[in-house]
Structures are given as structure tokens and as C-alpha cells.
Amino acid sequence: MGSRQDVRRARAEREILDAAWAEMALTGVAALSVREVARSVGIRQQSLTYYFPTKQSLLDALFADAFSELRREFDRLPPVKDPIKGVVDIAIAFVDFCVARPAAYHLMFQGTVPGFHPSDHGHAVALSALEKLLVRLAAAGVTAPADRALVRSLMSGLAAEQIANDPDGRLFVDQTGRGIRAVLAEISRKPSGSRTKRGRG
């Protein structure tokens, strides 16, 4: 159990992260202003650096925060009985998550902030979320890097199209299940050797 100081720090960091997400939702990820974040939580910019010394460290914390939440979304999914439905379920959860949080999607997957690269910790959190998808893909017989890349590209592409071209609707979101099933059916028609062949990616 942490000390009261640890609890206060965690609470303050959470407040700063929430303020940063709100700021990015209004101005865009690349335009995030540390000064505005500090103002919105009622502290000086210099005080904010006690928690996040640089803008890079704040972005890294946001990156890890988003992937942690995505991992929790995956953890809430029902147990897998049908492997194909298992992939469909996690794909729908991914697309819904991204569409509901456009700023997070841009930070996590679009490289929107020039020069930003996640730390080893942030990268590890991202991989822990990705692993949930890879496990479900493997259960459905999707193990070749090119096939996994195809599924991930479809998921990300649907999210991007929804955010960019139908932000108030569900045109692209609602194609997720159909698209994933079609891709998995195509992959299953490939010879088993080519499905498991190792490659880059």
C-alpha cells in the first residue's frame, strides 16, 4: 500500500493526464500545450514539471495511458469460444476504442507528433495490449506476419476512415465484423505452409 504522498502524486498525475487528453481533443495531438494543461489544472507550468519534466515525458505517459486503457478494454471481452468470433470481438473493441478517442488514436498509431518516440516502458505497455490481439489471431490460425499485418491494417484503416470521414456516424465501424470475417476467410484458404511462413513485419 502506497504512502499518502504516493496517492497524492498519482491523483495529480491522473488529473494532468485527463486535462491533456481534453486539451488534445480540442486542439489536436500535435498542438498540445503544456502551459494550457497546467492552467486547466490550476498550477503553474513550472509546477507541472515536477510530475512530467518535459513535454516528451507527458506524451509518453499519455501514450502508455492510452494503451493501458485499450488493454483493459480487451480484458473486458467475453471468453473466447469460437476463434473467429474472438478475433471479430477484439477488432470491434479496437475500432470502437479508437473512434471514441480520436486523440488517443492519433498519438498511438498515427505518428502525429513529430519527433515523438515512446520510451521502453511505453513501448512495453503497447506490446502488452497488442499481445491480446496476437493471441486471438493465433487461436484463429493467423500466425504469419503478413497475415497479422493485414488484419491490423484493416482494423486501423476502419478506425481512421470513421474518424476522418464519418465522425458522427458508424458507417465504417459497422463494417468491422464483416471485414474481419472476410479477411480471415481469405487467409484460411491459403496453403497452411504459407500461413505459417516466417517473414518480416
Side-chain angles (χ1 to χ4, degrees):
M1 186 173 181
S3 68
R4 278 184 286 183
Q5 183 178 359
D6 291 337
V7 171
R8 285 196 298 270
R9 182 183 181 95
R11 187 178 298 128
E13 289 178 350
R14 180 71 264 166
E15 186 177 4
I16 291 167
L17 293 177
D18 288 343
W21 285 123
E23 172 72 15
M24 290 192 296
L26 291 174
T27 64
V29 175
L32 176 66
S33 166
V34 174
R35 177 178 292 131
E36 284 302 308
V37 173
R39 184 193 61 77
S40 68
V41 297
I43 61 176
R44 295 180 303 164
Q45 183 175 349
Q46 185 176 1
S47 298
L48 190 146
T49 62
Y50 171 74
Y51 303 99
F52 301 104
T54 64
K55 184 176 180 179
Q56 172 80 12
S57 66
L58 177 57
L59 287 167
D60 189 62
L62 290 163
F63 181 88
D65 186 50
F67 272 105
S68 293
E69 180 57 32
L70 178 61
R71 186 177 59 201
R72 288 191 290 271
E73 289 290 328
F74 290 165
D75 287 339
R76 295 185 189 107
L77 294 172
V80 176
K81 295 180 180 179
D82 170 33
I84 301 301
K85 187 176 186 302
V87 177
V88 170
D89 287 348
I90 201 168
I92 290 173
F94 173 87
V95 175
D96 281 340
F97 174 89
C98 294
V99 170
R101 302 164 181 81
Y105 172 73
H106 286 295
L107 179 62
M108 296 161 78
F109 299 108
Q110 293 295 296
T112 306
V113 182
F116 169 70
H117 301 286
S119 66
D120 289 344
H121 168 71
H123 188 61
V125 175
L127 290 179
S128 73
L130 175 61
E131 182 63 22
K132 305 283 185 180
L133 171 62
L134 297 182
V135 167
R136 292 193 176 217
L137 287 173
V142 181
T143 56
D147 293 337
R148 294 189 310 213
L150 178 60
V151 174
R152 290 174 56 187
S153 297
L154 175 59
M155 291 162 54
S156 185
L158 286 167
E161 288 284 356
Q162 187 65 56
I163 292 167
N165 297 315
D166 188 30
D168 298 319
R170 290 189 58 85
L171 176 61
F172 297 94
V173 171
D174 288 343
Q175 313 314 311
T176 305
R178 183 163 67 112
I180 292 296
R181 289 183 186 278
V183 168
L184 295 182
E186 190 278 332
I187 291 172
S188 71
R189 288 195 291 269
K190 294 167 58 180
S192 58
S194 63
R195 289 205 303 273
T196 58
K197 183 178 179 180
R198 296 180 62 84
R200 295 174 63 90

